[in-house]
Amino acid sequence: MPEQTVSHDELDHTNDEEEPCKELIILYATETGNAQDCADYIARQCRRIGFHGRVLNVDAYSPIDLIEEPLVLFVVSTTGSGVEPRAMTALWNILLRSNLPSDLFEGLPFAVFGLGDTSYEKFCWAAKMLSRRMKSLGATEICERGEADEQHPLGIEGTLEPWTAEFLKVLSQLAQHPEGHEVASSTTPPPRVVLPAASSTDLKNAKDPMDNDSRYHRAKVSVNRRMTAQDWYQDVRHLEFDFEDDVKYDPGDVAVIHPIAEAEDVQSFLDLMKWSDRADTPLTIRRNVTGK
């Protein structure tokens, strides 16, 4: 990344005359998708109290923009023995630069929610190191760091839901809600997207990512065997695949599986839901929640 010169004025996040900002950005770093799911869940809950949260993969975000954000939440998983997800490596290398001023993020409120597994020695290590580094660069951690454990009896959700509730309380305080304001627990958050009928332009520009991305390979499941005991609450599977292509991979690589449903199963579902008369109507995904 080229060297950047930033003035002190550009780093000032405080303005006593402005209304409290009700926007935040939620940056997730994931290997298997769990951190993204958590980020989406937190964003939905934030909308219940009027906060608009933009959710982005950290590798699709320009690190220099951090100094302009009103509030940042990092949702970070840990892979292997304390390693950050590959999507986060570029940002992490920038944050570790020795020439960054100690007040770079002065006035920037942030929070971190980490995902990990206590069966590994460096539990939630990536989240812990990120939290420490952000504070060393002047940012203010507004909420105790969340550390979700795969070994929790309820899985990640055992930590995610209570932590999110505490995070919402902090956001309510930052937004200066009246004293005694309670965050509703049963209110359905507004939808993040709407699904209008696709226009002719939408259909013309539509592309199937599996037709254009060489990283996708078709395969058949040759082995699907449960590894955990039948009476254990977790269903962990041993899977083997037969590929048409000569697939190369390295230890630690992660495979994302996109299953293909059988046509008769799809039709049975459509009949059950009474959607058969509109199942072939093309729709467009539109953002319903506006943000910065």
Side-chain angles (χ1 to χ4, degrees):
M1 180 177 177
E3 294 289 336
Q4 301 285 340
T5 302
V6 182
S7 69
H8 185 272
D9 291 340
E10 292 176 314
L11 300 176
D12 186 8
H13 292 264
T14 59
N15 188 334
D16 293 337
E17 297 180 358
E18 293 181 356
E19 291 294 324
C21 183
K22 300 191 71 173
E23 293 183 353
L24 73 155
I25 185 163
I26 303 175
L27 299 176
Y28 67 86
T30 187
E31 284 287 356
T32 62
N34 286 335
Q36 180 179 3
D37 291 342
C38 291
D40 286 336
Y41 170 80
I42 296 171
R44 289 195 301 272
Q45 302 312 308
C46 288
R47 291 198 296 275
R48 292 199 290 106
I49 60 172
F51 271 80
H52 294 168
R54 294 175 293 147
V55 180
L56 287 176
N57 191 327
V58 70
D59 67 357
Y61 181 78
S62 174
I64 193 63
D65 291 341
L66 274 178
I67 60 176
E68 302 292 342
E69 298 293 349
L71 197 156
V72 181
L73 169 62
F74 297 96
V75 183
V76 181
S77 62
T78 297
T79 64
S81 300
V83 181
E84 77 280 353
R86 281 171 291 186
M88 181 180 160
T89 300
L91 171 63
W92 187 234
N93 289 339
I94 292 172
L95 292 178
L96 289 179
R97 282 166 40 180
S98 60
N99 62 343
L100 295 179
S102 60
D103 62 349
L104 177 65
F105 296 130
E106 184 176 2
L108 171 63
F110 81 99
V112 177
F113 184 81
L115 290 80
D117 189 323
T118 49
S119 63
Y120 290 86
E121 180 180 359
K122 293 186 176 181
F123 170 64
C124 282
W125 197 251
K128 293 175 181 177
M129 296 299 291
L130 177 61
S131 174
R132 187 178 306 169
R133 183 55 176 159
M134 289 295 294
K135 287 189 286 188
S136 73
L137 293 174
T140 302
E141 194 163 24
I142 60 172
C143 183
E144 183 178 356
R145 182 178 59 251
E147 297 181 358
D149 182 11
E150 287 276 7
Q151 300 300 319
H152 190 286
L154 298 177
I156 292 172
E157 288 77 9
T159 303
L160 174 62
E161 294 183 7
W163 184 88
T164 302
E166 291 301 315
F167 182 60
L168 294 186
K169 291 179 181 179
V170 173
L171 292 186
S172 294
Q173 294 171 359
L174 291 178
Q176 300 180 7
H177 284 157
E179 186 175 353
H181 173 83
E182 293 292 335
V183 177
S185 59
S186 59
T187 303
T188 302
R192 188 173 62 177
V193 298
V194 292
L195 302 173
S199 66
S200 57
T201 302
D202 294 327
L203 295 176
K204 182 179 180 180
N205 296 331
K207 296 180 181 179
D208 186 339
M210 296 189 71
D211 292 337
N212 298 282
D213 195 327
S214 60
R215 294 177 300 172
Y216 289 102
H217 304 275
R218 294 187 180 274
K220 291 184 178 180
V221 178
S222 58
V223 176
N224 182 356
R225 183 175 67 249
R226 180 176 176 130
M227 299 174 63
T228 47
Q230 290 296 327
D231 58 351
W232 184 243
Y233 73 97
Q234 289 179 316
D235 185 355
V236 179
R237 297 275 169 168
H238 171 84
L239 299 174
E240 295 182 13
F241 300 91
D242 290 333
F243 288 89
E244 299 174 358
D245 306 323
D246 183 17
V247 178
K248 304 293 185 181
Y249 61 91
D250 296 317
D253 283 353
V254 175
V256 178
I257 301 172
H258 297 270
I260 299 176
E262 296 291 340
E264 54 268 28
D265 293 337
V266 174
Q267 188 59 52
S268 176
F269 172 76
L270 294 176
D271 292 342
L272 177 66
M273 300 300 296
K274 296 181 172 45
W275 288 347
S276 297
D277 60 336
R278 45 184 162 161
D280 295 324
T281 303
L283 302 175
T284 301
I285 300 176
R286 303 279 190 211
R287 287 186 177 275
N288 189 44
V289 178
T290 58
K292 180 180 176 181

